[in-house]
């Protein structure tokens, strides 16, 4: 009788444990299971002072968030403010967490998710541009073909001699990716890219 009583108690404990392991019906758990990673562009206005960029990057690396592109430059000289543009990937829940955590860093004045803002304005994406310098070495027919394709992509020749070209190209990241891909068989030597600069359309600022 004692053995049967202990067995029943064990079965009850297993049932309770299984009940705790079942997913709840809350919207939070449903969202986490169904959300898919998205690529978003964030614009961060910060004080231009030593260590700010390191703190922003540290927030991403410390929590395992990936930065796909990052650009930074002082944009308001009198106020000593810099604008950091970050392209990152994550679920909407994670991206919202990133935004709130950035806002808690003291030198940060404002954080705007440009991707979310563009959707609010009825637009597909914010305006995004990137600049790249692409060095291509070659002679003969390959050299002529590189020049022809560069003209089709509206890339400018900013340096050249009888052995190489350095092209400057500006546009969306996908355009630059395509230009680099077609230059590979023609003698691609070196690439330098700035990363994405972005802002929303319309008369409003960030």
């Amino acid at each position: 009788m004692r053995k049967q009583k202990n067995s029943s108690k064990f079965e009850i404990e297993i049932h309770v444990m299984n009940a705790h392991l079942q997913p709840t019906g809350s919207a939070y758990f449903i969202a986490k299971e169904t959300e898919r990673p998205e690529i978003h562009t964030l614009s961060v206005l910060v004080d231009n002072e030593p260590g700010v960029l390191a703190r922003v990057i540290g927030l991403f690396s410390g929590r395992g968030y990936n930065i796909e592109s990052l650009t930074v430059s002082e944009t308001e000289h009198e106020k000593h403010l810099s604008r950091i543009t970050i392209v990152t990937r994550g679920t909407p829940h994670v991206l919202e967490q990133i935004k709130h955590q950035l806002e808690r860093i003291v030198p940060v004045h404002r954080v705007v998710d440009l991707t979310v803002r563009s959707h609010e304005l009825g637009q597909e994406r914010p305006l995004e541009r990137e600049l790249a310098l692409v060095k291509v070495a070659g002679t003969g027919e390959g050299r002529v073909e590189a020049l022809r394709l560069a003209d089709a992509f509206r890339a400018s020749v900013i340096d050249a001699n009888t052995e190489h070209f350095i092209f400057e190209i500006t546009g969306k990241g996908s355009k630059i990716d395509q230009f680099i891909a077609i230059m590979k068989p023609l003698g691609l030597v070196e690439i330098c890219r700035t990363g994405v600069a972005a802002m929303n359309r319309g008369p409003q600022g960030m």
Side-chain angles (χ1 to χ4, degrees):
M1 291 293 293
R2 184 178 296 176
K3 184 176 181 181
Q4 184 178 359
K5 186 177 180 180
N6 289 340
S7 177
S8 299
K9 183 179 179 182
F10 179 74
E11 289 174 357
I12 292 170
E13 289 176 351
I14 292 294
H15 177 74
V16 171
M17 289 174 64
N18 287 337
H20 282 297
L21 291 173
Q22 295 297 322
T24 70
S26 70
Y28 175 79
F29 282 93
I30 294 171
K32 286 191 71 176
E33 290 177 358
T34 59
E35 286 180 344
R36 293 183 178 181
E38 302 173 355
I39 297 177
H40 280 221
T41 304
L42 308 179
S43 190
V44 188
L45 195 64
V46 302
D47 288 329
N48 185 11
E49 60 182 44
V52 176
L53 183 59
R55 292 181 66 182
V56 171
I57 295 174
L59 184 150
F60 279 79
S61 62
R63 290 161 177 79
Y65 304 145
N66 185 46
I67 295 176
E68 301 200 2
S69 172
L70 184 146
T71 61
V72 57
S73 180
E74 188 175 71
T75 53
E76 298 184 42
H77 301 297
E78 293 181 359
K79 297 180 181 179
H80 299 289
L81 295 177
S82 291
R83 181 164 173 159
I84 304 173
T85 304
I86 301 169
V87 179
T88 188
R89 182 190 297 269
T91 64
H93 175 73
V94 168
L95 291 165
E96 190 66 20
Q97 279 189 329
I98 292 173
K99 182 175 179 291
H100 290 318
Q101 289 165 2
L102 284 170
E103 288 171 338
R104 287 200 289 267
I105 297 177
V106 174
V108 172
H109 290 264
R110 192 173 182 193
V111 182
V112 177
D113 188 328
L114 298 179
T115 304
V116 170
R117 181 63 181 145
S118 65
H119 293 163
E120 293 172 352
L121 295 170
Q123 301 158 6
E124 186 177 352
R125 287 196 62 81
L127 284 170
E128 297 178 348
R129 292 294 182 269
E130 186 176 357
L131 182 143
L133 301 179
V134 181
K135 182 183 290 186
V136 179
T139 58
E141 293 183 3
R143 181 181 177 87
V144 174
E145 183 67 4
L147 275 175
R148 187 186 69 80
L149 291 170
D151 184 62
F153 277 81
R154 297 184 180 178
S156 303
V157 178
I158 59 172
D159 186 67
N161 61 22
T162 57
E163 297 179 341
H164 84 283
F165 293 108
I166 296 180
F167 297 108
E168 176 187 301
I169 181 169
T170 304
K172 294 181 179 180
S174 56
K175 174 186 175 181
I176 294 174
D177 290 340
Q178 188 179 2
F179 181 72
I180 290 169
I182 66 171
M183 286 296 164
K184 282 183 178 179
L186 298 177
L188 181 67
V189 175
E190 188 177 359
I191 307 161
C192 181
R193 300 175 69 159
T194 61
V196 173
M199 63 172 55
N200 286 124
R201 295 175 173 85
Q204 309 90 347
M206 69 169 286

